[in-house]
Amino acid sequence: MHPSLLQDSVRGCPKEIPHNEKLLSLKYESLDYDNSENQLFLEEERRMSFLGFKCLEISRWVICGLIGFLTGLIACCIDIAVENLAGVKYYVVKQNIEKFTEVGGLSISLILWAVLNSAFVMVGAVIVAFFEPGAAGSGIPQIKCYLNGVKIPRVVRLKTLVVKVCGVICSVAGGLAVGKEGPMIHSGAVVAAGVSQGRSTSLKKDFKIFEYFRRDTEKRDFVSAGAAAGVSAAFGAPVGGVLFSLEEGASFWNQMLTWRIFFASMISTFTLNFFLSIYNNKPGDLSSPGLINFGRFESDVSVCLLLSSPKPCVISLSTVCLVLNPVFNILNYWLTLFRIRYVHRPCLQVMEAMLVAPLGPDQSEDYPLQLFCADGEYNSMATAFFNTPERSVRSLFHNPPGSYNPLTLSLFTLTYFFLACWTYGLTVSAGVFIPSLLIGAAWGRLFGILLAVWAVPGKYALMGAAAQLGGIVRMTLSLTVIMVEATGNVTYGLPIMLVLLTAKIVGDYFVEGLYDIHIKLQSVPFLHLEAPATSHWLTAREVMGAPVTCFNRIEKVGTIVDVLSNTSTNHNGFPVVMPVAICGLILRSQLIVLLKHKVFVELARSRLTQRKLQLKDFRDAYPRFPPIQSIHVSQDERECMMDLTEFMNPTPYTVPQETSLPRVFKLFRALGLRHLVVVDSENRVVGLVTRKDLARYHLGKHGLEEMQLAQT
Amino acid sequence: MYIFQVVALLIALLYYGNAQTSTVAVNHTILGSELSADGLKQLAAIVAPQSPVFHPSRGSYFSLNLLSAFPEDLEVSDYCVELLAIFGQRYSTYVNCLVSAARPVKVCQNCYGSYDNLMDIYTNISSDQMGPGNVSCRDSLLRSDRLMLVFLLYNNLEDIWTGSECNSCVSLGLHSLTNDTLYFMATLNQSLRCFEKFQQGNHSALCKECKATYRGLNELYSRMEKNRTLCIDIEDSMNMTRRLWSKNFNCSFPRAENVPVIAVSSFMLFLPIIFYLSSFLHSEQKKRKLIHPKRAKSNTSLVNIQDRLS
């Protein structure tokens, strides 16, 4: 027997271990994606006219358009704010440098610069660490989890959006080695979640529209649209956005949803383009479809040469991927683990961010910097550093051969690599797309310069950027399309795809993608595409949780309240049995609404004039259902009975005990379930399968491994 | 159905034949003028003209032989030919001026007069007003052929003018240089005179004496940069002066603060290391409490699958 297990059973107290990535947290629940088809729902459908259904369809389209429009606007605001803030900061520092350089006070200017950067970053870190820790990082791991079906707390709230937008503006203006694309995706998702509900719970305003969409099923679909709109605004890649949502939420998909998501992303990029053109006083120019613009790539012979270049080139390109990409992820993994274990107090997190800031490259406009140079000359290394990363990437792609010194470039690559690795994971809102592109473009260009024979170095820079980004985030399908759309030339599709595939295959051998690492470190019960291979011998009986707390169809209120108030087990779904065979499934949220409205059998008889409970009451309480502690039930009321027949889901999905794990997994994931009841041959409830039960199995180095649950 | 297809085929063939014949005349892009039938025939008869063509009696600037073959209404009028000749003269004057002022760049100061003249004659040519004899030279000179040579040549020069931003240095109407430019030139001359005075021997004397004028020049230049009243002449002369100062005379403002800068940078690099070390040593490590959920008893009493497999 396993020694620790023996110790536990002897000691009888739970073990405490330092945080690692092989844990699953209890605080993450699944979304209620599966529809509860109780009698109320059937009644509503009966009452709704054909016109009502048509209106619903049209309102879905209207919401998607609105999501796209608002996401584009937010992207526009972020861009303009960053530009202005960075410009102001740079102006102040430049004045200071010009004043003090001659006198010998360059160190003073340096300190001033560091202080300004730290100040911006401090503001950004403070609002994230103290007001909304969920807005830290790029937001893509959280959205990936949300689309997977995990209810990440506070991920799509208005407060998160505000903190995220302000945070990203401060981080970028403060000169950290970060990008604004990841936060854009998160913002798009929050906008979608907010707009589709037709009300703001934080601001306590209800516009009384879109009430039909106030449930997890619809909200999740709209969040996919929001994420796609965010990608589209960030890169000017509408199709890439759609594919991003597809790649992340692939199991629950339908064609109408794809159409609507595409509509949302198109509107998003067009809105951004339109408003940025107006801001730049060139209305109708429409030349900035995304926050990042790679410039115009022409199809020419060099692409053919790239593809047909002899094997050594391609192999050595992949070799560099082999070295750099896993190294980035592994370093960041250790750093994040350290941060979770030791730097967990908010003030420490803010301090850490402030310490990184002065060392980051400045991200202002392309003002050349005369450091240690003759009059009229400018430091080329400084110019490479002191440019916005977007502009640096663009110049790496398009500058004519000979513009960059190989030594400068390699130094820059190395420095920026470690800086970007260090910066990602800080408690600030920041993305990792642009830094990876910049690192990749730099070493790609270096590669091209050293090769110097076939293709223009700029094209190698593009390949390098794709390789590095692909190796870090490991998105294949959507990333290919995003890059193709961002370069504006389909001819580059094949080389980019080959490079991304190589990076993914090589990288997967060593370590996972960056976002997957962070998801694991946050202990989220993420369900992958399939159950781990070689797990067919595991049956539902071993996977399920048992025994299950069930209710009778007519249950005493006191029992219900006691079960719900039991803090040792935080159950959310209860099978309803009558007398032993299963006849339905009821959720905690539904029970709480019933208790709040005091829908008791005794009271119903005496309350003939009062209206019956409708689906609207459940929707009003969604999504923040009150906790059981806030519901007061008197002693008399505890003796009453509650009839669950009308409100329970009469046809929950069930599986027999002998079902294999992959089969259970497939059913669970494809339908987006939250609870799956395991029954025996007489339809009696034997166990309940939830997300945590399924997510703990994964294929490790020594075969099938099990992750442990922990309180976080 | 079959008949329709045949008819459609015939019609398509007809159009194709028509298209072929019309491509012969595609080079000829006279706007608004009707071509008579025999005019077309004569044009088609001429395969390739040997050299530029004008009537010999119309001035000796161009060599002429073949236009006598062209009919009257296709010729360029006398008035327009004159304008064209003037344009050519002013063009070469301007280009000569530009080339002679190429290095060091003085294109704005030296050549604004010739550019003014060139602009006048081009405006004349391209104006809508009818000249004597009720002819408009714009169409016949500027837009009669695919090449549009006159238009191209003038546009090139206009681009050069715009690229050198000479409009910032020359007053409106191109009559003279602006006051700012003249003041800058005067200051520049002052500095250059100072350099000349102390050029021999040790440059340290030069660095000391001319520092004030040089600094004044720099400040003036920065001010003008902010107001955007710079043209290429000023930029280039400033650049040359700076190079003289820094490279030839080695007078750059001493950067004696290398040490403080390096100290500050290394301090900033050192701080995070201290931070991480202290948080490692002093913060309590975040521990996680393991939870063992209730599971059904399986066939064997072992719950951990590692043991089951081993």
Side-chain angles (χ1 to χ4, degrees):
Chain A
M1 208 178 181
H2 203 268
S4 61
L5 223 60
L6 194 62
Q7 271 177 325
D8 279 350
S9 50
V10 165
R11 261 188 304 161
C13 62
K15 214 162 69 122
E16 277 204 356
I17 55 169
H19 181 92
N20 61 25
E21 86 278 13
K22 290 208 188 335
L23 293 174
L24 286 183
S25 172
L26 282 181
K27 73 176 176 194
Y28 296 112
E29 294 289 332
S30 281
L31 289 173
D32 284 312
Y33 193 74
D34 189 34
N35 194 11
S36 178
E37 291 174 3
N38 49 21
Q39 287 184 12
L40 298 183
F41 175 78
L42 294 174
E43 212 178 285
E44 187 192 52
E45 198 180 76
R46 238 191 325 257
R47 269 188 282 127
M48 211 188 294
S49 60
F50 179 70
L51 198 64
F53 278 112
K54 279 292 167 202
C55 278
L56 271 183
E57 257 316 297
I58 294 175
S59 36
R60 286 200 179 96
W61 281 90
V62 165
I63 293 177
C64 281
L66 209 57
I67 290 171
F69 181 73
L70 288 174
T71 311
L73 271 186
I74 288 180
C76 197
C77 293
I78 291 180
D79 202 35
I80 294 174
V82 165
E83 219 176 278
N84 287 336
L85 270 181
V88 159
K89 178 182 75 158
Y90 193 79
Y91 181 74
V92 167
V93 176
K94 189 159 188 262
Q95 294 295 89
N96 187 286
I97 285 185
E98 278 171 0
K99 218 174 1 158
F100 282 110
T101 298
E102 192 203 303
V103 179
L106 190 64
S107 40
I108 299 180
S109 311
L110 204 64
I111 293 178
L112 177 69
W113 191 340
V115 163
L116 270 180
N117 276 353
S118 284
F120 273 120
V121 172
M122 183 181 83
V123 171
V126 157
I127 54 176
V128 170
F130 287 102
F131 291 127
E132 189 50 76
S138 77
I140 294 184
Q142 282 95 328
I143 294 301
K144 270 177 84 135
C145 293
Y146 193 88
L147 292 180
N148 193 269
V150 182
K151 196 187 297 189
I152 309 267
R154 297 184 318 273
V155 73
V156 286
R157 285 208 187 160
L158 184 64
K159 192 158 109 168
T160 315
L161 176 66
V162 170
V163 168
K164 193 108 201 171
V165 168
C166 298
V168 80
I169 293 175
C170 291
S171 320
V172 175
L176 287 178
V178 294
K180 8 188 220 292
E181 287 66 32
M184 205 51 241
I185 298 176
H186 191 178
S187 315
V190 178
V191 163
V195 164
S196 63
Q197 307 294 287
R199 66 166 167 192
S200 169
T201 326
S202 322
L203 298 177
K204 301 204 183 358
K205 278 184 80 66
D206 193 340
F207 296 103
K208 304 252 187 282
I209 49 171
F210 306 144
E211 280 170 357
Y212 187 83
F213 304 130
R214 292 180 192 175
R215 49 201 180 98
D216 277 340
T217 323
E218 302 284 347
K219 186 150 129 175
R220 227 195 71 161
D221 290 344
F222 286 121
V223 165
S224 317
V231 172
S232 150
F235 295 98
V239 182
V242 174
L243 287 175
F244 173 82
S245 284
L246 181 79
E247 212 172 346
E248 302 311 327
S251 56
F252 339 85
W253 203 254
N254 65 68
Q255 206 155 18
M256 278 314 284
L257 184 62
T258 319
W259 224 156
R260 285 198 294 269
I261 292 183
F262 193 35
F263 180 61
S265 6
M266 276 298 190
I267 299 259
S268 164
T269 177
F270 186 78
T271 314
L272 176 67
N273 214 345
F274 184 69
F275 282 106
L276 272 186
S277 308
I278 292 184
Y279 176 73
N280 292 332
N281 287 326
K282 285 186 265 187
D285 187 22
L286 297 185
S287 63
S288 38
L291 288 181
I292 172 157
N293 189 351
F294 285 176
R296 192 102 221 124
F297 276 85
E298 303 301 330
S299 311
D300 56 15
V301 190
S302 50
V303 184
C304 302
L305 290 175
L306 248 183
L307 280 179
S308 60
S309 57
K311 292 286 187 302
C313 303
V314 179
I315 291 180
S316 25
L317 200 74
S318 339
T319 320
V320 190
C321 296
L322 195 133
V323 168
L324 279 185
N325 300 340
V327 168
F328 189 98
N329 289 4
I330 292 174
L331 281 178
N332 198 277
Y333 163 70
W334 286 114
L335 195 57
T336 315
L337 200 57
F338 182 87
R339 281 181 179 140
I340 293 181
R341 284 191 191 166
Y342 296 102
V343 189
H344 44 82
R345 284 210 299 271
C347 19
L348 284 179
Q349 290 168 339
V350 172
M351 218 187 318
E352 188 190 7
M354 279 170 64
L355 287 177
V356 180
L359 298 167
D362 196 284
Q363 301 199 349
S364 47
E365 301 294 299
D366 54 348
Y367 295 117
L369 210 41
Q370 181 195 3
L371 278 180
F372 306 120
C373 274
D375 278 354
E377 289 188 352
Y378 302 99
N379 195 327
S380 72
M381 167 87 152
T383 316
F385 251 105
F386 301 145
N387 244 325
T388 48
E390 285 93 353
R391 219 167 275 234
S392 301
V393 167
R394 217 187 358 242
S395 44
L396 279 168
F397 286 160
H398 293 286
N399 275 3
S403 330
Y404 289 97
N405 182 5
L407 187 63
T408 318
L409 212 51
S410 37
L411 225 64
F412 172 73
T413 312
L414 221 56
T415 331
Y416 204 81
F417 179 85
F418 286 111
L419 204 58
C421 190
W422 187 14
T423 314
Y424 188 69
L426 282 178
T427 319
V428 289
S429 298
V432 81
F433 269 75
I434 289 299
S436 340
L437 282 174
L438 186 52
I439 296 169
W443 66 250
R445 180 124 192 160
L446 192 64
F447 199 76
I449 292 175
L450 294 177
L451 234 67
V453 186
W454 289 280
V456 182
K459 311 284 192 283
Y460 275 105
L462 177 66
M463 296 301 131
Q468 183 72 28
L469 186 57
I472 287 181
V473 303
R474 307 281 166 77
M475 288 160 35
T476 44
L477 178 64
S478 40
L479 199 57
T480 316
V481 178
I482 288 174
M483 300 279 304
V484 163
E485 280 184 297
T487 53
N489 197 334
V490 185
T491 328
Y492 291 91
L494 188 58
I496 290 178
M497 185 192 272
L498 290 176
V499 158
L500 282 173
L501 277 176
T502 319
K504 181 166 168 77
I505 291 173
V506 165
D508 274 346
Y509 182 70
F510 291 100
V511 73
E512 290 180 315
L514 193 65
Y515 297 137
D516 298 311
I517 289 180
H518 279 257
I519 289 175
K520 270 190 149 155
L521 282 172
Q522 293 297 320
S523 315
V524 178
F526 190 83
L527 290 181
H528 293 281
L529 286 173
E530 292 171 334
T534 72
S535 56
H536 276 86
W537 58 270
L538 274 174
T539 62
R541 198 178 160 69
E542 274 116 32
V543 171
M544 68 190 189
V548 186
T549 319
C550 305
F551 290 138
N552 290 319
R553 206 202 281 221
I554 304 190
E555 185 68 63
K556 208 157 81 135
V557 172
T559 326
I560 295 181
V561 172
D562 289 335
V563 165
L564 289 180
S565 315
N566 189 358
T567 47
S568 62
T569 56
N570 200 13
H571 294 309
N572 276 289
F574 305 96
V576 179
V577 294
M578 169 59 183
V580 201
I582 184 168
C583 62
L585 184 78
I586 193 150
L587 300 170
R588 171 185 286 256
S589 47
Q590 290 171 316
L591 285 172
I592 289 196
V593 173
L594 290 178
L595 283 174
K596 200 165 95 156
H597 289 265
K598 306 220 185 298
V599 181
F600 306 142
V601 172
E602 288 81 0
L603 291 186
R605 274 192 237 121
S606 64
R607 198 181 47 180
L608 295 154
T609 48
Q610 282 212 13
R611 63 169 185 84
K612 278 182 55 170
L613 207 61
Q614 285 181 334
L615 216 47
K616 182 172 161 15
D617 301 295
F618 290 95
R619 295 214 181 108
D620 283 341
Y622 172 86
R624 297 186 215 179
F625 296 100
I628 184 65
Q629 290 80 12
S630 66
I631 310 279
H632 297 291
V633 183
S634 64
Q635 278 298 110
D636 293 331
E637 284 169 343
R638 282 175 68 95
E639 301 302 318
C640 296
M641 306 297 276
M642 207 191 286
D643 185 3
L644 302 174
T645 323
E646 278 181 75
F647 310 104
M648 68 183 186
N649 183 1
T651 51
Y653 290 100
T654 60
V655 283
Q657 289 185 75
E658 297 80 26
T659 323
S660 64
L661 173 65
R663 217 173 153 79
V664 170
F665 193 98
K666 211 182 299 191
L667 187 68
F668 199 91
R669 196 176 191 278
L671 293 175
L673 300 177
R674 190 175 180 182
H675 306 100
L676 187 58
V677 187
V678 182
V679 294
D680 65 2
S681 42
E682 272 107 51
N683 231 13
R684 285 181 300 204
V685 174
V686 228
L688 197 65
V689 175
T690 59
R691 177 174 278 266
K692 287 183 265 302
D693 301 318
L694 290 175
R696 63 194 164 114
Y697 294 103
H698 71 112
L699 212 53
K701 290 229 166 14
H702 310 289
L704 206 57
E705 282 175 4
E706 205 181 304
M707 293 202 264
Q708 292 169 309
L709 292 178
Q711 191 86 38
T712 55
Chain B
M1 272 304 151
Y2 210 76
I3 298 183
F4 282 139
Q5 284 173 332
V6 170
V7 168
L9 192 60
L10 284 174
I11 294 176
L13 278 172
L14 264 170
Y15 270 119
Y16 181 65
N18 201 9
Q20 287 293 77
T21 51
S22 63
T23 52
V24 171
V26 82
N27 276 339
H28 208 73
T29 55
I30 291 186
L31 298 162
S33 61
E34 288 95 22
L35 268 67
S36 55
D38 48 337
L40 247 180
K41 260 188 263 173
Q42 283 185 333
L43 270 177
I46 297 162
V47 179
Q50 306 299 322
S51 49
V53 290
F54 280 104
H55 201 274
S57 64
R58 290 199 186 102
S60 56
Y61 196 89
F62 299 103
S63 73
L64 356 111
N65 47 34
L66 206 50
L67 191 54
S68 46
F70 286 110
E72 282 291 322
D73 49 340
L74 286 181
E75 278 180 352
V76 186
S77 74
D78 290 350
Y79 173 68
C80 295
V81 172
E82 254 170 56
L83 286 184
L84 193 59
I86 299 173
F87 178 83
Q89 275 164 343
R90 292 190 184 177
Y91 183 90
S92 36
T93 321
Y94 182 57
V95 172
N96 281 335
C97 174
L98 282 180
V99 171
S100 57
R103 283 303 314 162
V105 183
K106 285 199 203 305
V107 296
C108 294
Q109 303 162 45
N110 294 1
C111 308
Y112 67 88
S114 357
Y115 182 73
D116 188 30
N117 290 342
L118 184 68
M119 220 167 54
D120 279 339
I121 184 67
Y122 186 78
T123 325
N124 211 348
I125 291 179
S126 60
S127 72
D128 272 334
Q129 295 163 334
M130 297 295 197
N134 238 0
V135 287
S136 161
C137 291
R138 188 174 66 174
D139 291 342
S140 57
L141 286 182
L142 294 181
R143 304 199 223 170
S144 298
D145 54 51
R146 172 177 66 89
L147 186 62
M148 300 198 297
L149 186 65
V150 178
F151 176 77
L152 274 183
L153 289 174
Y154 180 73
N155 259 28
N156 269 341
L157 289 185
E158 201 178 13
D159 286 341
I160 292 177
W161 178 263
T162 329
S164 34
E165 292 170 15
C166 285
N167 279 325
S168 325
C169 288
V170 184
S171 64
L172 237 66
L174 302 185
H175 295 306
S176 64
L177 294 173
T178 57
N179 284 339
D180 284 336
T181 318
L182 291 168
Y183 181 62
F184 181 85
M185 289 300 161
T187 324
L188 181 68
N189 281 338
Q190 229 180 341
S191 295
L192 290 174
R193 271 201 301 274
C194 178
F195 292 162
E196 244 174 282
K197 209 166 21 161
F198 294 95
Q199 211 169 5
Q200 280 77 17
N202 201 351
H203 287 153
S204 56
L206 187 149
C207 292
K208 226 184 327 184
E209 297 299 322
C210 301
K211 191 164 163 189
T213 38
Y214 179 70
R215 198 183 319 160
L217 188 67
N218 259 318
E219 279 169 14
L220 176 62
Y221 183 73
S222 317
R223 267 208 308 276
M224 289 176 79
E225 209 176 3
K226 228 176 297 189
N227 291 347
R228 298 175 206 272
T229 47
L230 289 181
C231 59
I232 185 68
D233 291 16
I234 300 182
E235 285 174 29
D236 189 62
S237 45
M238 190 68 222
N239 201 10
M240 302 274 288
T241 319
R242 280 179 171 162
R243 238 187 281 166
L244 264 182
W245 180 262
S246 320
K247 292 253 165 68
N248 293 21
F249 304 146
N250 233 341
C251 286
S252 295
F253 302 126
R255 308 246 180 262
E257 75 289 355
N258 273 344
V259 174
V261 169
I262 293 179
V264 168
S265 322
S266 38
F267 176 69
M268 291 200 294
L269 248 149
F270 205 52
L271 271 179
I273 302 178
I274 300 179
F275 172 79
Y276 282 124
L277 269 177
S278 62
S279 49
F280 178 67
L281 295 172
H282 292 163
S283 287
E284 41 177 278
Q285 206 187 77
K286 194 84 169 238
K287 291 260 195 339
R288 302 289 188 209
K289 217 176 357 176
L290 287 182
I291 309 279
H292 296 291
K294 293 178 286 188
R295 302 248 175 249
K297 284 200 191 49
S298 50
N299 299 339
T300 60
S301 59
L302 292 170
V303 182
N304 202 334
I305 49 171
Q306 262 90 340
D307 304 323
R308 235 186 120 142
L309 287 175
S310 55

